[in-house]
Amino acid sequence: MATGSNGDIPPLSTVSTRARHTIQLKDFLTPYAVTSGMNPYHPKDNPKGYINMATAVNRLMEEELETRLRKADAMQYDRQFQHYYQLFGTFQFRMALADFLSRHLCPGRTLSTENIVVLNGVASCLDALGHAICDPGDVLLTPTPVYTRIFSDFCERALVDVQPIITTQEKNQENLSFTYQPRDIENRIQELKAEGKNVKGIILVHPQNPLGDFYSKSFLLDVLQVCARHKLHVIVDEIYALSIFRDEESFVSFLALEPISPEPEKIHFVWGMTKDFGLAGFRAGVIHSTNQEVVNCLKKLSTYQCTASIVHHACAALLNDKEWCDDFFLPTNRRKLRDSYEKARSFLEEMGIEVREAKSGFFVWINLQPFLNEVTKEEELALFEDFFKQRLFVVPGSILYCANPGWFRLIFCVHPQDLEAGLEKLRSVIEVRRK
Ligand SMILES: Cc1ncc(COP(=O)(O)O)c(C=O)c1O
């Protein structure tokens, strides 16, 4: 069974084998998210509550978003919302997306609404792509450490076997850890083929979660060559593409690479309103693919995985408002992300903690190996529990399939008062261990 399985599926049950497989998959973080969510920190009202620096949410632009969404063109009620609509995305929303994504990620290229499908969140898009591209047991590769649900999103229903391309903390010539080369993909494909596996594609999270880095254009072109040689699909999750706070000009989206790639119909781009617009609750995920078979399949699946048309309407209003989006919201968001990241980073570095340099996303990726009794996964989880006892919720790297124990992911774009209090909690746990 695919990575993420807890082991054997019990034979006696009232549900299907498939359902038992879904139930058995590991979900380490949810119980902690529930506990911390029921008792959230507030400096005055609940100073003993939990600070959640684990869930990838950007709280820096909440007020700006609320103000814009309360305007009549976005959230005002209309009788048309009571009725059926094009479940794979209203024409109005797909038009807005085509224009918005072209403007920001592939200037000069006009995206077609025909190649765009909207589903209920990016996780749902990944699940649907797994269904459309793979048969049960087929393999998709992904470099690790990575967003932990990549394994479950493709595996829980589509039964895809997601296999890691393992990277380590060993630094490359540019002094960066957790990197790999296109030849590592080639080697992993050969290894899996030798085991008799059917390798169908690769999933790239770009910008990367948890590293907060993104790939160079030349690297990506080499990856596309490897994929074309092995006839692989390329699924790209660009959910953080507009949350880049450094070196923004060197980011190249797959939407811009598609026209020069050897097999454009094998590239499936995914984005959503969840991260770059902080609208996780809207459940609006987007797929762009020029592969008509894939698009036709996704359109059918939208019957089961669609979002209410009122959400399509509100999102279209935001994306079409160029002045608000392009001149105000996105640049302000980037500035706030940069400031918050730098604040967290300097705090941690002053404590003598190694921080992996980031340019994008919501994460600081830190090495806490010096504070473990032994560099093992068990000790990493013991430190995680120490943090949680102090009411600080962060993500241990092993949950993100990090090969080296002792790395942790912290979300830095929490409310500013939570950031300060959270970092202080982290300091108090580390200081005890230093002694
Ligand atoms: C890389 C990545 N992809 C997908 C998701 C899930 O997004 P959604 O909430 O739209 O399903 C996340 C959320 O953390 C993510 O980090």
Side-chain angles (χ1 to χ4, degrees):
M1 196 50 78
T3 311
S5 172
N6 270 354
D8 293 339
I9 293 170
L12 286 174
S13 167
T14 57
V15 294
S16 64
T17 312
R18 203 171 46 201
R20 279 180 277 149
H21 157 76
T22 306
I23 295 164
Q24 288 280 306
L25 289 174
K26 286 181 202 158
D27 184 1
F28 176 87
L29 294 173
T30 301
Y32 294 96
V34 170
T35 306
S36 61
M38 286 192 312
N39 184 11
Y41 170 84
H42 186 273
K44 283 203 193 84
D45 302 341
N46 193 20
K48 294 209 169 125
Y50 287 89
I51 299 181
N52 183 346
M53 293 177 78
T55 311
V57 167
N58 176 2
R59 294 198 178 268
L60 302 175
M61 297 294 289
E62 277 178 337
E63 202 180 319
E64 291 84 344
L65 270 164
E66 184 182 334
T67 310
R68 180 63 189 86
L69 282 166
R70 281 182 185 281
K71 289 198 177 164
D73 64 330
M75 288 302 258
Q76 198 176 48
Y77 188 75
D78 191 307
R79 191 182 290 178
Q80 64 160 331
F81 300 140
Q82 289 166 202
H83 299 293
Y84 285 119
Y85 65 101
Q86 282 192 312
L87 300 181
F88 57 91
T90 60
F91 184 65
Q92 175 206 27
F93 188 23
R94 286 181 294 114
M95 277 284 282
L97 281 163
D99 184 54
F100 175 82
L101 293 173
S102 311
R103 238 164 49 227
H104 289 279
L105 298 180
C106 53
R109 182 179 177 201
T110 309
L111 299 179
S112 161
T113 53
E114 293 303 307
N115 298 331
I116 292 177
V117 173
V118 179
L119 298 176
N120 57 334
V122 168
S124 183
C125 294
L126 301 178
D127 164 74
L129 281 170
H131 176 98
I133 292 168
C134 299
D135 287 310
D138 282 352
V139 169
L140 291 176
L141 299 171
T142 199
T144 56
V146 69
Y147 157 66
T148 183
R149 284 204 52 94
I150 279 291
F151 290 87
S152 15
D153 290 346
F154 284 98
C155 178
E156 280 179 354
R157 289 207 302 182
L159 307 179
V160 176
D161 184 1
V162 180
Q163 287 288 336
I165 298 164
I166 296 171
T167 71
T168 69
Q169 66 189 34
E170 204 178 309
K171 293 197 170 127
N172 69 1
Q173 283 158 347
E174 283 135 49
N175 208 28
L176 285 173
S177 45
F178 302 105
T179 58
Y180 62 101
Q181 293 301 319
R183 70 171 172 277
D184 298 322
I185 305 176
E186 190 98 46
N187 293 342
R188 193 74 177 110
I189 296 167
Q190 302 298 2
E191 244 172 54
L192 289 158
K193 281 193 174 165
E195 288 172 27
K197 306 249 187 200
N198 188 25
V199 183
K200 259 322 206 7
I202 185 166
I203 314 154
L204 295 178
V205 177
H206 173 66
Q208 291 159 277
N209 171 1
L211 301 182
D213 207 345
F214 50 82
Y215 301 103
S216 70
K217 181 174 180 181
S218 64
F219 181 91
L220 291 178
L221 288 173
D222 289 348
V223 169
L224 287 174
Q225 289 298 341
V226 173
C227 291
R229 243 191 331 273
H230 291 274
K231 308 209 172 317
L232 299 192
H233 287 267
V234 185
I235 298 170
V236 243
D237 178 344
E238 294 199 9
I239 195 169
Y240 297 99
L242 299 169
S243 299
I244 297 177
F245 49 84
R246 191 173 317 130
D247 266 358
E248 193 200 329
E249 54 298 331
S250 42
F251 177 78
V252 181
S253 165
F254 273 84
L255 287 179
L257 289 179
E258 221 173 74
I260 52 166
S261 75
E263 290 197 300
E265 74 292 344
K266 288 272 183 66
I267 296 180
H268 315 289
F269 162 95
V270 183
W271 182 77
M273 300 297 286
T274 309
K275 308 295 179 184
D276 291 339
F277 282 88
L279 291 172
F282 276 33
R283 310 311 299 138
V286 181
I287 299 161
H288 176 277
S289 174
T290 55
N291 186 318
Q292 281 322 299
E293 280 184 314
V294 169
V295 168
N296 288 342
C297 176
L298 296 172
K299 282 184 177 174
K300 289 215 159 179
L301 294 180
S302 72
T303 308
Y304 319 106
Q305 302 183 208
C306 55
T307 307
S309 63
I310 192 165
V311 166
H312 292 214
H313 176 82
C315 293
L318 295 193
L319 302 186
N320 284 334
D321 185 349
K322 288 187 194 163
E323 203 181 316
W324 182 81
C325 249
D326 302 7
D327 303 340
F328 168 68
F329 182 83
L330 292 171
T332 312
N333 187 37
R334 285 194 177 109
R335 180 178 50 71
K336 287 195 183 187
L337 285 172
R338 185 170 52 245
D339 292 352
S340 197
Y341 172 75
E342 290 304 344
K343 196 167 173 184
R345 179 185 174 164
S346 40
F347 183 102
L348 293 158
E349 286 184 338
E350 272 162 33
M351 280 177 65
I353 290 174
E354 179 189 349
V355 178
R356 206 271 192 198
E357 176 142 7
K359 303 170 177 168
S360 49
F362 303 169
F363 337 98
V364 241
W365 179 238
I366 57 174
N367 182 356
L368 298 181
Q369 285 165 357
F371 312 104
L372 301 184
N373 298 324
E374 260 180 278
V375 182
T376 61
K377 183 179 166 190
E378 290 70 29
E379 285 297 321
E380 175 193 291
L381 294 180
L383 177 55
F384 165 79
E385 290 293 348
D386 282 1
F387 287 135
F388 204 72
K389 274 189 211 114
Q390 289 307 313
R391 312 238 151 161
L392 174 64
F393 179 28
V394 294
V395 178
S398 56
I399 302 307
L400 304 169
Y401 298 86
C402 182
N404 302 100
W407 287 79
F408 284 75
R409 191 191 79 175
L410 266 61
I411 300 301
F412 63 79
C413 43
V414 293
H415 288 142
Q417 80 245 12
D418 292 18
L419 181 64
E420 266 170 44
L423 291 172
E424 282 305 337
K425 276 180 193 286
L426 183 130
R427 191 204 317 257
S428 69
V429 173
I430 293 297
E431 288 313 321
V432 170
R433 287 194 166 233
R434 240 196 260 276
K435 283 173 200 152

